[in-house]
């Protein structure tokens, strides 16, 4: 329990915990990150696969790439990090603000998850309000909506705004938490990287769990240079023992 030692005398004061999670937590479930040494963007040009212009230029190519990602994600299972976050709900109020689009937090049992960048499970029409969850391979690429327009993955691409209802709720939860735990994110993508600032304004304690330094490491109260699968179960054990 040494890695969380500074928290032991404070556990009882934490009533509202917010997790901000990124690709690092899902990497331990076999889903590649975007910016790491083996990340997606090392071998693929995001401007050709993850922008609205790229989609309209070559929707079939974009959909082929997303079909491969969907296949990988649907085979992935929550790891000990995901499961620990879900288990923590037994002891304290927990909200997960995730940049991930893989649905692994929900699959692990977390009940309050805000998907800042959308979900690869869902598809939506590029024009009308049609939206649906599809857990199988998308055939007939590119797929078309009943209204005649192209369907697209319900994810946030480069240059697109976050869903405003989700983002406003994320700000609210970040601004009201007692403890924010930032897991597996490099904190370089805006506006999600501003969430720790909102928490700090509420005098929340900030914990960073990441194997590498991030853009905001110097702002953290506690830094854990361990994987989420190693660190988070120990954090849950601390709550079990103290509450």
């Amino acid at each position: 329990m040494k890695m969380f030692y500074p928290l032991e005398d404070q556990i009882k004061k934490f009533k509202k915990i917010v997790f901000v999670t990124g690709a690092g937590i899902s990497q331990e479930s076999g889903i590649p990150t975007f910016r790491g040494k083996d990340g997606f963007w090392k071998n693929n040009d995001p401007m050709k696969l993850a922008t609205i212009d790229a989609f309209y230029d070559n929707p079939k190519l974009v959909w082929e790439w997303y079909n491969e990602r969907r296949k990988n994600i649907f085979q992935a299972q929550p790891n000990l990090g995901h499961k620990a976050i879900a288990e923590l709900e037994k002891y304290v109020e927990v909200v997960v603000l995730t940049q991930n689009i893989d649905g692994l937090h929900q699959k692990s049992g977390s009940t309050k998850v805000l998907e800042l960048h959308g979900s690869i499970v869902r598809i939506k029409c590029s024009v009308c309000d049609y939206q649906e969850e599809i857990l199988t391979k998308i055939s007939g690429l590119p797929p078309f909506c009943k209204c005649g327009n192209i369907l697209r993955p319900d994810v946030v691409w480069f240059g697109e705004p976050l869903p405003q209802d989700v983002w406003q709720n994320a700000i609210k939860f970040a601004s009201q938490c007692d403890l924010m735990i930032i897991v597996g994110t490099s904190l370089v993508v805006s506006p999600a990287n501003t969430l720790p600032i909102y928490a700090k304004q509420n005098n929340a304690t900030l914990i960073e769990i990441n194997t590498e330094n991030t853009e905001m490491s110097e702002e953290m109260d506690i830094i854990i240079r361990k994987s989420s699968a190693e660190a988070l179960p120990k954090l849950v054990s601390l709550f079990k023992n103290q509450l």
Side-chain angles (χ1 to χ4, degrees), residues 178-189:
D178 310 308
L179 173 64
M180 177 174 281
I181 305 173
I182 300 101
V183 184
T185 173
S186 57
L187 293 174
V188 298
V189 177

Side-chain angles (χ1 to χ4, degrees), residues 84-102:
I85 293 173
E87 185 182 355
L88 194 58
E89 288 189 16
K90 297 177 182 179
Y91 312 105
V92 68
E93 181 179 331
V94 175
V95 176
V96 180
L97 311 178
T98 187
Q99 296 169 276
N100 298 333
I101 61 174
D102 50 48

Side-chain angles (χ1 to χ4, degrees), residues 138-163:
I138 304 294
S139 58
L141 302 180
F144 286 87
C145 181
K146 292 179 180 180
C147 74
N149 290 288
I150 301 176
L151 294 168
R152 55 167 284 181
D154 190 8
V155 298
V156 177
W157 284 327
F158 289 103
E160 293 184 322
L162 272 58

